[in-house]
Amino acid sequence: CSLGYGGSKPDILWSPHHVDRYVICDSELSLYRIESLGSTEAKAGVIQLSEETAATLLAINSDTPYMKCVAWYPKHEPECLLAVGQANGRVVLTSLGQSHNSKCKELMGKEFVPKHARQCNTLSWNPADSNWLAAGLDKHRADFSVLIWDISSKYAPEATVPPEKIRLPSGDADVGTVVTKPLYELGQNDACLSLCWLPRDQKLLLAGMHRNLAIFDLRNTSQKMFVNTKAIQGVTVDPFFHDRVASFFEGQVAIWDLRKFEKPVLTLSEQPKPLTKVAWCPTRAGLLATLTRDSNVVRLYDMQHAPTPIGDETEPTIIERSVQPCESFISSFAWHPSAQNRMVVVSPNRAMTDFTVFERISLAWSSTSSLMWACGRHLYDCAEERTGSEAAVESDIATKMRARAQSRYGHDTVQVWRNYVLAGGDDPQLKSLWYTLHYILPFQCPYLTLDQEQKQQGNKQTVVYSGIKNIVKSSSGTTESRRSWSDSDRQGDVVRYHSEERSLALRLCGWIGRGPDVDVEPFLRSLEQEGEWERAAAVALFNLDIRRAIQILNKGASSEKGDLNLNVVAMALSGHTDEKSSLWREMCSSLRLQLRSPYLRASFAFLTSEPGAYDGVLYESRVAVRDRVAFACMFLSDTQLSRYIDKLTNEMKEAGNLEGILLTGLTKDGVDLMESYVDRTGDVQTASFCMLKGSPGEVVKDPRVQCWIENYRNLLDAWRFWHKRAEFDIHRSKLDPSSKPLAQARS
Amino acid sequence: MELHILEHSLKVASIAKEGIQICTHGLIKLAFLPSKTRCKFFSLTETPEDYTIIVDEEGFKELPESEHLSVAEATWLALNVVSGGGSSSSSQPIGVTKIAKSVIAPLADHNISVFMLSTYQTDFILVRERDLPMVMHTLSSEFTLLRVVNGETVAANSLGVSNGFVKPKMGRPVLHGTENSQPATEQIQRPIIHPLSSPSNMFCVTSLNPDTLPTVATLLMDVMFYSSGVKEPGTATEDSGHIRFFSFSLIEGYISLVMDEQTTRRFPNNVLFTSASGELWKMVRIGGQPLGFDECGIVAQISEPLATADIPAYYISTFKFDHALVPEENIQSVIGALRTNESTGK
């Protein structure tokens, strides 16, 4: 308001109670009514403000020249009573479009005159006692700059100066309407640029003085609280947080907390041009709108997320954004007193725009996988719908992790493979991971290396740690043997390779058991038990036992829910011949690709392959990695094997495929692989439990691993699974003694 | 009470009447086109003898070098007294009277020369920059000392003189034996050393809205620079005579004007700010010979008796003489009171 209405810069004021009225003030006062467009379409003289709303000019008042500031009477009645501060410091009461009721008539034209003339910069009605009107004036050496007028007071000449000294201009003949004695006078020999009553108490007034902000307490006017600052313009109290005040200086807004009134609690980013208006949104907490000179945007600062009270240490978060209500420059704006986030802006040429600031939509996941979003005063909750078993949509990883945490996933340290079951038993990657861990862990746990055989393996501890990739690299003394089909008399032309490391790898793949026994039969039986007929048949076949393979397929076909097609496959197998150019070979190699089972495809690929060229098996991606690796360990030469394993490892790492842990082991390679897995799935739970098994190796100290562990702990906390968190911490400290349990928090 | 030490570094200069035309370009810029200069403090006072200019260093650059322009050698700082509390008593003595006892007398007692500039808005006490440590030391017991730095007030440190010094109280400071270093106590009045005169015309101290300045700029230029036709040589020193006196200042955006009643009538209605009571002021002019800048206590000699009598006053120092403005109805008692003191010093 301190701009002054020299005619070029219109300001806008919204009626505090009649929500469809506002006043534009420049050289005169114009009262408008705003309504929805539909109801006014036909009428002439209607100014469209937006797609939905239009304004009608109701009245013009040009009785008060030299206007510097205007303030709307805060009470419901009389309606449209305005106080106008003038360039000579006088305050005049006036009204617009008034039905002439008596109370208003009495007040109309009443003038409040300071002892010494100077510009009136600001006006503020007391919200509690609406008879009190505070006026802020420029400096005079011997006069006061803050005058509080009682609009109900009568002219009392004897109170101030002898009547013979009164030389009022002749225009003031009607002396009954002139008041020269203020209720309170404050701020001697100072200037007042802005004013605002504090809601805390009727008698507290905040004033932007020449070089300080001062709080005057009318109960004791000899004292004031003040803070020296340049930001003394446009003081305004946050309507939602009565201790928070905004003021500005040139391009910078300062936010103050009156309880800590020594320095601004924050200053907003400085604008290149001087600010002209700063206003808190009356319908939305913590939203401050600012306008600078020659600008077509209103800048908004959202402080609702700033912690209140704002401390010294915490850096409050403020979301800053700009809105552009219209194309032209904005001269002024006013928030609608009740419609949410709505404002009317006025341009220098008096064009008006009705505008609603759209709320940012904020979005948050709850820790239990429901989604919330907020827009304005609306809050939407979106929970996962449980539509029975038919719902094919996979659960979110957070839901899965939460369920797994409840089922003690990761905590079975004896039957390590069982963790796959605890995880729900439906994820092939987790299955592979936990079986791998199950197979490799005995080799790295010192307390299991009691018997002789394992002690020997115990020496290979570091080798096992680092996965099959490193085991086969260290392989030496490989022997080859020519093998033939178990029921064939012919000289075998299949070359099989042997070494200590290759046996170990086979063991880690789960194909053969511990000890000198290299029989694959127990593994086949376990596969049969699980109904993995095709896989069992393939493993039997890779062990050159075609009869066993046929037997397995027959068994599968006759089993409950068995697939009769398996008999057909068995029939096809039984026709196997080594003859290179046989019809059987030709048909098998072309038709095998139509088989649905990857194991059957691999089986026929093996049977029809040239010696040493097994790509049809090795790159059959749906065959489990462990089976392909085991196959490779049996049938690839050292060079071929090493190249194949490297290639496969990189493939696994890139894909974040947990089957690859078999190759990488719990090494840095393994962490890389796990990283891709976590990037892909977000499953920090599996990552944490898996990598903890790598202790006391270096992997646990990898910052990525520590990050997963901390995130998993935070998740448990977020779910309020305090006991699970404690259990995890215990589990962790057992495996990784270097992780110091946190000190018990005491408060 | 707060004493603000403002950040303007001021020069005090005198332009001879016959040399004014070479300076008008700069002066018009300083007075009417503030956006064209970086000047924040500008004051021009015309007396029968000369034009006195008080201007900050930025504004000083606008003035040409000339034989007609004499500049006092020192750099001056402006002090400003602000009443800290918001007392609601409206019958306080105002202006120089208010600060006579708290600022002007102690500075006189410590032999610190002051240069006064009263405006519509406030009273500036100008002291030499080099005297500042002594000023702060002298006034630190009565005032909260604040310094304005980049427009923001900050607590002023007592500039190194506080250590070892006893805070000045009543009594005679140890200083050179100049004529003004008599102990000033409440009982002993300062003698008036310089001759006084009181011109016949009455003055208004007023202001106007900076927005309306362009509308009266030509009128103001006429008043400032083309007054020679009105001037009658020799009237200045005559008690009953008419004096040519006009002061314009534009300080931190505020305009202040001092002019005689006849001149105010040339302005359109509603441009000049007038007080509700329309008060008029009469002048007491101090000095027969040019006063110079070194003599101390002149302001104190005048302002203390006025303070004792509770008479409000404005005080404007110029390059050669000092001028006090007192309410017209008080002029006789003021002259009386000052005349009583006039001879005691001699």
Side-chain angles (χ1 to χ4, degrees):
Chain A
C1 257
S2 58
L3 289 172
Y5 309 124
S8 63
K9 288 269 182 191
D11 196 4
I12 175 165
L13 274 87
W14 214 298
S15 165
H17 293 289
H18 303 270
V19 295
D20 59 342
R21 308 279 167 94
Y22 64 84
V23 160
I24 299 281
C25 16
D26 38 25
S27 55
E28 56 191 18
L29 299 163
S30 316
L31 176 69
Y32 289 89
R33 185 178 61 229
I34 190 165
E35 50 214 324
S36 64
L37 198 54
S39 61
T40 57
E41 222 157 11
K43 286 183 222 162
V46 169
I47 308 148
Q48 190 169 345
L49 301 189
S50 70
E51 282 176 13
E52 286 98 28
T53 53
T56 315
L57 179 63
L58 297 183
I60 292 181
N61 176 334
S62 44
D63 301 344
T64 46
Y66 320 116
M67 282 194 289
K68 282 290 165 185
C69 48
V70 181
W72 204 309
Y73 186 69
K75 286 279 146 67
H76 209 268
E77 285 292 323
E79 186 187 337
C80 293
L81 175 63
L82 299 170
V84 177
Q86 292 177 301
N88 57 8
R90 292 176 174 226
V91 179
V92 184
L93 297 184
T94 189
S95 84
L96 271 164
Q98 202 60 229
S99 54
H100 293 280
N101 68 58
S102 60
K103 175 158 189 211
C104 200
K105 215 168 195 175
E106 199 176 289
L107 293 169
M108 247 3 69
K110 204 160 179 173
E111 276 193 64
F112 304 89
V113 182
K115 277 202 287 293
H116 294 93
R118 56 248 136 90
Q119 181 169 311
C120 179
N121 293 319
T122 177
L123 289 170
S124 177
W125 292 94
N126 188 305
D129 185 339
S130 59
N131 279 333
W132 289 12
L133 175 62
L137 297 111
D138 265 347
K139 194 171 185 172
H140 182 274
R141 65 205 291 268
D143 209 344
F144 298 87
S145 58
V146 180
L147 304 178
I148 296 160
W149 300 102
D150 180 350
I151 62 160
S152 66
S153 72
K154 300 278 179 283
Y155 177 59
E158 68 285 351
T160 46
V161 268
E164 68 272 13
K165 284 225 63 188
I166 306 294
R167 296 179 196 154
L168 288 165
S170 54
D172 292 328
D174 185 8
V175 138
T177 65
V178 173
V179 179
T180 57
K181 172 81 180 143
L183 200 58
Y184 294 94
E185 298 176 301
L186 306 158
Q188 197 172 21
N189 191 14
D190 206 341
C192 174
L193 283 307
S194 61
L195 277 176
C196 168
W197 293 94
L198 295 182
R200 265 197 304 197
D201 190 284
Q202 186 199 331
K203 294 197 167 181
L204 289 180
L205 180 66
L206 174 66
M209 306 301 282
H210 183 41
R211 282 200 188 94
N212 58 68
L213 287 181
I215 299 172
F216 294 106
D217 187 341
L218 303 185
R219 295 163 296 195
N220 178 7
T221 53
S222 64
Q223 284 189 342
K224 66 174 181 184
M225 203 163 98
F226 71 99
V227 55
N228 291 321
T229 176
K230 282 198 265 191
I232 45 108
Q233 307 242 52
V235 289
T236 171
V237 178
D238 183 343
F240 289 91
F241 178 52
H242 291 169
D243 285 317
R244 188 154 68 182
V245 168
S247 68
F248 64 91
F249 163 74
E250 290 179 355
Q252 189 147 43
V253 178
I255 308 291
W256 306 83
D257 188 325
L258 297 180
R259 296 164 303 180
K260 226 165 160 267
F261 199 44
E262 298 120 32
K263 58 176 172 106
V265 283
L266 60 115
T267 48
L268 306 181
S269 55
E270 192 164 356
Q271 301 305 312
K273 286 183 182 153
L275 291 153
T276 55
K277 188 159 189 170
V278 167
W280 296 100
C281 177
T283 53
R284 160 75 148 69
L287 186 64
L288 186 74
T290 69
L291 177 68
T292 61
R293 205 180 61 200
D294 304 334
S295 162
N296 60 359
V297 295
V298 175
R299 205 167 287 273
L300 298 167
Y301 296 88
D302 189 347
M303 270 166 263
Q304 67 173 344
H305 303 291
T308 50
I310 304 157
D312 260 339
E313 289 79 18
T314 51
E315 186 68 26
T317 45
I318 293 178
I319 299 159
E320 183 185 334
R321 63 195 169 120
S322 296
V323 292
Q324 189 182 351
C326 55
E327 290 300 315
S328 64
F329 281 163
I330 299 165
S331 168
S332 185
F333 70 90
W335 287 109
H336 190 284
S338 57
Q340 206 182 332
N341 289 7
R342 181 170 162 196
M343 59 168 65
V344 165
V345 301
V346 58
S347 72
N349 61 2
R350 270 187 170 223
M352 299 171 286
T353 310
D354 185 0
F355 178 76
T356 298
V357 175
F358 202 75
E359 270 297 337
R360 279 180 321 103
I361 293 178
S362 55
L363 184 89
W365 286 102
S366 85
S367 56
T368 52
S369 82
S370 61
L371 179 67
M372 277 237 169
W373 68 91
C375 181
R377 288 189 188 140
H378 303 281
L379 199 59
Y380 301 90
D381 184 9
C382 168
E384 228 175 325
E385 208 173 307
R386 295 273 166 222
T387 50
S389 56
E390 284 301 304
V393 185
E394 204 181 349
S395 307
D396 177 68
I397 186 66
T399 314
K400 284 188 192 169
M401 283 196 284
R402 192 163 178 269
R404 287 171 187 171
Q406 277 174 312
S407 68
R408 301 193 68 252
Y409 170 60
H411 283 284
D412 198 327
T413 51
V414 182
Q415 286 182 282
V416 176
W417 61 270
R418 265 185 52 81
N419 287 308
Y420 150 65
V421 180
L422 296 176
D426 55 359
D427 187 324
Q429 289 215 12
L430 291 187
K431 182 174 181 181
S432 164
L433 174 72
W434 288 107
Y435 274 92
T436 302
L437 292 175
H438 182 75
Y439 295 134
I440 68 173
L441 288 177
F443 297 100
Q444 63 187 55
C445 295
Y447 61 87
L448 282 179
T449 59
L450 285 175
D451 69 75
Q452 197 56 40
E453 196 268 342
Q454 276 169 355
K455 199 171 265 172
Q456 187 199 340
Q457 296 302 331
N459 295 337
K460 298 214 177 251
Q461 201 181 65
T462 51
V463 177
V464 175
Y465 259 129
S466 47
I468 286 176
K469 183 183 163 192
N470 287 324
I471 293 172
V472 298
K473 283 252 167 70
S474 66
S475 177
S476 56
T478 305
T479 56
E480 27 184 289
S481 61
R482 293 205 159 257
R483 296 282 297 276
S484 58
W485 296 96
S486 52
D487 59 342
S488 168
D489 311 327
R490 275 170 295 172
Q491 174 68 29
D493 52 0
V494 182
V495 178
R496 222 195 118 167
Y497 297 89
H498 301 272
S499 75
E500 205 179 310
E501 285 76 16
R502 286 176 188 249
S503 309
L504 179 57
L506 283 180
R507 208 172 297 175
L508 292 173
C509 291
W511 276 24
I512 56 174
R514 244 173 260 150
D517 183 15
V518 290
D519 187 6
V520 79
E521 188 53 32
F523 178 53
L524 293 179
R525 275 200 295 274
S526 77
L527 289 177
E528 281 179 328
Q529 233 160 37
E530 286 163 44
E532 296 192 67
W533 309 109
E534 294 91 338
R535 187 179 171 201
V539 172
L541 206 64
F542 298 154
N543 282 281
L544 306 179
D545 193 344
I546 203 161
R547 193 162 288 279
R548 180 78 175 101
I550 291 167
Q551 183 200 338
I552 290 166
L553 290 173
N554 288 335
K555 211 168 174 183
S558 59
S559 70
E560 210 181 326
K561 287 189 282 178
D563 183 358
L564 289 173
N565 287 332
L566 292 179
N567 276 330
V568 182
V569 175
M571 214 151 72
L573 273 186
S574 61
H576 169 243
T577 168
D578 282 346
E579 201 59 53
K580 293 275 186 279
S581 57
S582 69
L583 180 65
W584 185 88
R585 269 189 173 243
E586 199 183 309
M587 292 317 291
C588 279
S589 59
S590 62
L591 291 176
R592 70 174 182 94
L593 294 174
Q594 290 173 20
L595 289 166
R596 203 174 299 142
S597 160
Y599 280 97
L600 296 180
R601 283 202 298 272
S603 299
F604 285 105
F606 178 61
L607 290 175
T608 58
S609 59
E610 297 300 321
Y614 301 117
D615 283 6
V617 181
L618 295 172
Y619 296 105
E620 177 57 66
S621 61
R622 284 173 58 209
V623 168
V625 168
R626 68 176 66 256
D627 294 331
R628 284 191 273 159
V629 169
F631 177 87
C633 286
M634 280 163 46
F635 300 109
L636 294 187
S637 68
D638 279 0
T639 346
Q640 282 179 308
L641 180 63
S642 172
R643 202 182 306 135
Y644 174 68
I645 297 286
D646 278 350
K647 197 172 172 196
L648 192 58
T649 304
N650 289 335
E651 210 175 277
M652 294 291 114
K653 269 163 71 173
E654 261 166 49
N657 187 336
L658 292 182
E659 292 184 64
I661 290 290
L662 176 72
L663 302 170
T664 62
L666 301 177
T667 58
K668 194 190 156 289
D669 265 354
V671 179
D672 291 346
L673 188 154
M674 191 59 86
E675 187 181 16
S676 324
Y677 170 76
V678 172
D679 287 350
R680 189 165 58 80
T681 62
D683 184 3
V684 290
Q685 184 183 39
T686 299
S688 301
F689 278 111
C690 169
M691 287 302 158
L692 274 174
K693 306 280 187 209
S695 180
E698 283 300 306
V699 286
V700 184
K701 296 185 181 67
D702 191 301
R704 290 171 289 180
V705 174
Q706 290 301 317
C707 172
W708 299 330
I709 289 173
E710 282 317 308
N711 274 297
Y712 181 53
R713 296 177 75 240
N714 290 342
L715 263 181
L716 291 171
D717 284 347
W719 292 323
R720 296 160 176 268
F721 284 180
W722 317 123
H723 289 98
K724 300 285 174 203
R725 223 287 307 286
E727 232 178 315
F728 176 75
D729 284 345
I730 293 165
H731 176 79
R732 178 190 181 190
S733 59
K734 271 184 189 162
L735 291 173
D736 176 17
S738 69
S739 73
K740 294 237 164 59
L742 291 173
Q744 183 80 40
R746 288 169 213 278
S747 54
Chain B
M1 296 276 273
E2 291 172 5
L3 185 78
H4 291 205
I5 303 159
L6 307 184
E7 56 190 334
H8 317 287
S9 293
L10 303 175
K11 290 286 179 193
V12 179
S14 165
I15 302 169
K17 289 252 162 165
E18 60 271 27
I20 191 68
Q21 67 273 22
I22 60 155
C23 297
T24 42
H25 175 79
L27 293 174
I28 286 168
K29 217 169 140 185
L30 290 167
F32 305 118
L33 303 164
S35 61
K36 304 285 180 198
T37 74
R38 298 174 69 185
C39 176
K40 294 271 168 54
F41 195 116
F42 170 70
S43 159
L44 173 147
T45 306
E46 186 192 2
T47 63
E49 295 77 27
D50 66 348
Y51 289 90
T52 297
I53 310 293
I54 307 170
V55 68
D56 62 17
E57 282 171 334
E58 288 291 341
F60 190 71
K61 293 175 190 161
E62 304 293 337
L63 297 178
E65 269 184 55
S66 160
E67 53 181 326
H68 299 295
L69 183 75
S70 342
V71 185
E73 37 67 62
T75 296
W76 300 77
L77 293 176
L79 311 180
N80 193 200
V81 172
V82 176
S83 55
S87 169
S88 59
S89 154
S90 57
S91 60
Q92 271 188 323
I94 59 165
V96 175
T97 316
K98 186 178 65 180
I99 56 175
K101 288 197 159 76
S102 56
V103 182
I104 294 167
L107 291 179
D109 292 341
H110 284 77
N111 235 21
I112 296 163
S113 171
V114 301
F115 196 87
M116 288 295 302
L117 178 65
S118 293
T119 66
Y120 188 73
Q121 290 84 16
T122 191
D123 299 292
F124 296 102
I125 307 145
L126 273 57
V127 296
R128 286 186 176 93
E129 192 171 35
R130 63 164 185 263
D131 290 338
L132 186 65
M134 197 59 192
V135 170
M136 292 174 70
H137 177 66
T138 307
L139 299 176
S140 60
S141 57
E142 284 277 340
F143 291 94
T144 309
L145 299 179
L146 296 165
R147 231 186 147 135
V148 181
V149 178
N150 296 326
E152 216 151 333
T153 41
V154 295
N157 304 315
S158 315
L159 299 168
V161 286
S162 57
N163 288 343
F165 265 83
V166 180
K167 292 255 173 181
K169 292 288 171 203
M170 283 306 155
R172 184 187 184 123
V174 187
L175 288 166
H176 311 292
T178 65
E179 54 180 329
N180 291 309
S181 58
Q182 300 100 327
T185 63
E186 302 291 341
Q187 290 76 32
I188 299 166
Q189 290 199 317
R190 260 170 242 276
I192 308 282
I193 290 156
H194 297 283
L196 306 175
S197 56
S198 181
S200 59
N201 35 354
M202 290 200 280
F203 289 89
C204 286
V205 181
T206 183
S207 175
L208 52 81
N209 188 332
D211 298 343
T212 62
L213 186 61
T215 64
V216 292
T218 48
L219 174 59
L220 281 168
M221 284 181 223
D222 190 27
V223 173
M224 280 182 197
F225 304 123
Y226 299 96
S227 60
S228 45
V230 191
K231 187 189 147 198
E232 295 159 48
T235 53
T237 50
E238 284 171 30
D239 278 6
S240 55
H242 185 274
I243 188 176
R244 171 67 207 161
F245 187 91
F246 174 82
S247 178
F248 171 95
S249 63
L250 176 60
I251 297 170
E252 292 175 1
Y254 289 108
I255 295 166
S256 174
L257 295 161
V258 180
M259 61 185 107
D260 64 14
E261 208 188 354
Q262 291 90 318
T263 311
T264 61
R265 296 201 193 105
R266 300 174 62 187
F267 284 80
N269 279 343
N270 287 319
V271 170
L272 298 179
F273 291 164
T274 49
S275 68
S277 54
E279 53 205 11
L280 288 172
W281 304 78
K282 288 213 59 160
M283 180 182 290
V284 177
R285 194 166 143 90
I286 301 112
Q289 294 296 313
L291 297 169
F293 291 92
D294 296 321
E295 188 180 330
C296 310
I298 301 167
V299 185
Q301 292 157 25
I302 306 297
S303 63
E304 272 194 310
L306 295 180
T308 309
D310 223 5
I311 296 168
Y314 289 85
Y315 201 102
I316 297 173
S317 300
T318 62
F319 208 81
K320 294 194 169 123
F321 300 104
D322 279 6
H323 309 82
L325 290 168
V326 296
E328 50 163 326
E329 65 271 24
N330 297 117
I331 184 68
Q332 289 317 318
S333 54
V334 169
I335 297 281
L338 296 178
R339 286 267 152 81
T340 322
N341 289 357
E342 205 167 357
S343 52
T344 46
K346 299 283 162 83

